[in-house]
Amino acid sequence: MKVGILGGGQLARMIALAGYPLGIRFIFLDPSIGACATTLGSHLRGDYHDETLLADLAKRADVVTYEFENVPAKVAEFLTSNTQVYPSPKALAVAQDRLVEKDFLNELGIPTAPYEAVGNFDSLHAAMEKIGYPAILKTRTQGYDGKGQSILKSVTDLKSAWQKLEGLAAIVEGFVKFSREVSIIAVRSVSGELAFYPLSENVHKGGILRVSESRENDPMQAKAEDYATRLMIALDYVGVLALELFEVDGELIANEFAPRVHNSGHWTIEGAETSQFENHLRAILDLPLGSTAAVGYAAMVNFIGGKPENEEVLKIPNAHLHLYAKAARKGRKIAHATIHTKTLAELEPLKKRLIALANESDDS
Ligand code: AMP
């Protein structure tokens, strides 16, 4: 079996690492020379719009998937007319535009923060009359890790936030005073088999995920599974999907979903019977899904912009280090580590040590 992946970054790399024991081989399409997944398979190097390369990928791969959601619609259409592509272009189209995404979620009865589309400075003023302060202005497309976002605390913030958009279409969202952030990693196979991981409890700073912890028997699990199910059925979804949620007064409010494996599911490599990466492959190749049950307790910490010495991480008992083979650059995720223990009591102090180490080398 050969799987084609659009993108050759760390998510593609971890998919490939999970696929090797199953005898799956990989072909990556990515424009950069040193894309970190490409040592694990064949590399088609070039632009994502290059139809010769796309045709080659479609010919050589049994199925094509991707590691980022900003795949241009034209590229997804070209691929679907030449091979099997999972998740479907429809999932991409919804996930890559925050306005379309929020409309879609609300139509399915999945609540979101109040939001308004913003096309010009006057409409931003008008939207703020409805939404009220504080709020967040976000570009409709291309935003990730908090990029393209501004917090609006009062009317004096409007001008500079608007200028920062540089004319890009945007939405403004009410600021949610959440008690915590969680996400659910869900998976659905070609045959329609569904599975859900225990919730991930997530901590973000500056819009970037820092820490994710597995939460077995969480009181919000059933609600999160219900929302993820509605979403996957409506999209006729195949593969792993991550739905990010805010908890407010015992209710869940959806922030966004990612039609792919997700950073908040990295703990599943050690902390679940089958990782999100392996289950994504099983789903798109129509193999039986593996158990998503948690195995003990797990907490994942990202290394952003810089990382501690490997020895410092490996000295922490129960720490598992994952290097992405990427050069350090400000704000870039270059590695993560997961603490995996049998009991919650053992997890806490080790997690704190790992977070302290990550903070020392952080350059975000
Ligand atoms: P996003 O790029 O939409 O995933 O946002 C990144 C992070 O910014 C989220 O995980 C939250 O921590 C924060 N954030 C985004 N939207 C909101 C909101 N409407 N209210 C409060 N915090 C938010």
Side-chain angles (χ1 to χ4, degrees):
M1 272 293 171
K2 201 163 217 179
V3 170
I5 306 185
L6 289 180
Q10 70 263 24
L11 298 180
R13 180 179 164 98
M14 287 185 271
I15 292 172
L17 288 169
Y20 264 65
L22 297 175
I24 302 165
R25 292 295 171 260
F26 294 88
I27 175 163
F28 307 96
L29 173 56
D30 192 293
S32 18
I33 296 176
C36 72
T38 56
T39 48
L40 294 164
S42 320
H43 184 191
L44 295 176
R45 192 162 79 81
D47 195 87
Y48 294 118
H49 294 91
D50 184 330
E51 290 200 353
T52 313
L53 285 183
L54 289 170
D56 197 16
L57 181 71
K59 199 168 96 205
R60 288 164 64 182
D62 299 294
V63 47
V64 171
T65 188
Y66 39 86
E67 64 155 10
F68 60 94
E69 56 271 42
N70 291 318
V71 177
K74 270 199 167 151
V75 171
E77 274 160 32
F78 181 87
L79 283 170
T80 34
S81 51
N82 289 283
T83 188
Q84 219 45 266
V85 181
Y86 296 123
S88 66
K90 163 98 174 157
L92 282 175
V94 175
Q96 61 191 208
D97 183 329
R98 290 186 193 276
L99 180 62
V100 177
E101 181 182 32
K102 287 217 159 48
D103 287 345
F104 195 79
L105 290 165
N106 280 293
E107 276 160 26
L108 294 172
I110 304 171
T112 64
Y115 61 98
E116 290 287 330
V118 172
N120 55 42
F121 191 58
D122 286 343
S123 64
L124 175 58
H125 261 288
M128 287 313 299
E129 300 271 303
K130 290 192 197 151
I131 303 278
Y133 295 94
I136 306 193
L137 185 66
K138 300 180 177 180
T139 54
R140 277 175 61 173
T141 58
Q142 303 292 334
Y144 67 96
D145 284 349
K147 290 188 175 64
Q149 300 189 9
S150 301
I151 295 187
L152 307 173
K153 289 194 180 126
S154 74
V155 71
T156 53
D157 293 332
L158 293 192
K159 198 151 190 196
S160 62
W162 176 253
Q163 280 165 350
K164 245 175 76 184
L165 286 179
E166 293 178 348
L168 289 176
I171 64 166
V172 66
E173 277 177 35
F175 194 89
V176 180
K177 293 187 186 72
F178 53 82
S179 51
R180 61 178 182 143
E181 290 190 79
V182 295
S183 56
I184 184 145
I185 308 292
V187 57
R188 184 166 177 265
S189 72
V190 175
S191 309
E193 192 186 352
L194 274 166
F196 307 90
Y197 286 91
L199 279 191
S200 305
E201 186 172 307
N202 307 321
V203 177
H204 291 80
K205 204 173 80 195
I208 308 181
L209 182 70
R210 308 291 160 152
V211 182
S212 269
E213 201 169 322
S214 62
R215 294 280 314 172
E216 218 181 350
N217 303 322
D218 193 283
M220 292 293 122
Q221 182 77 29
K223 191 97 219 166
E225 287 189 12
D226 172 34
Y227 290 164
T229 304
R230 290 188 211 181
L231 196 49
M232 289 197 295
I233 301 295
L235 292 168
D236 193 16
Y237 194 87
V238 173
V240 161
L241 174 146
L243 176 61
E244 295 187 65
L245 302 146
F246 302 124
E247 184 177 333
V248 189
D249 301 329
E251 294 294 331
L252 291 178
I253 290 180
N255 178 27
E256 61 180 0
F257 76 91
R260 55 172 167 78
V261 291
H262 193 255
N263 195 173
S264 66
H266 290 1
W267 64 263
T268 62
I269 297 174
E270 290 86 8
E273 196 65 52
T274 315
S275 77
Q276 62 164 344
F277 302 102
E278 182 176 333
N279 260 338
H280 182 67
L281 289 168
R282 291 191 190 208
I284 65 174
L285 292 168
D286 204 17
L287 298 167
L289 295 181
S291 164
T292 48
V295 180
Y297 295 82
M300 184 254 15
V301 176
N302 274 332
F303 297 131
I304 301 165
K307 59 174 256 325
E309 293 297 331
N310 295 347
E311 290 74 7
E312 293 301 310
V313 178
L314 298 175
K315 255 189 335 211
I316 301 178
N318 304 48
H320 300 266
L321 179 60
H322 297 260
L323 304 173
Y324 303 158
K326 285 165 75 174
R329 197 190 302 149
K330 196 174 164 53
R332 194 182 205 199
K333 292 173 184 165
I334 55 169
H336 78 262
T338 300
I339 304 281
H340 179 223
T341 59
K342 287 206 173 72
T343 65
L344 196 53
E346 287 169 284
L347 185 80
E348 280 306 312
L350 301 177
K351 180 182 87 178
K352 286 200 176 109
R353 270 177 74 181
L354 188 58
I355 291 173
L357 264 188
N359 287 343
E360 279 169 29
S361 57
D362 180 85
D363 184 16
S364 52

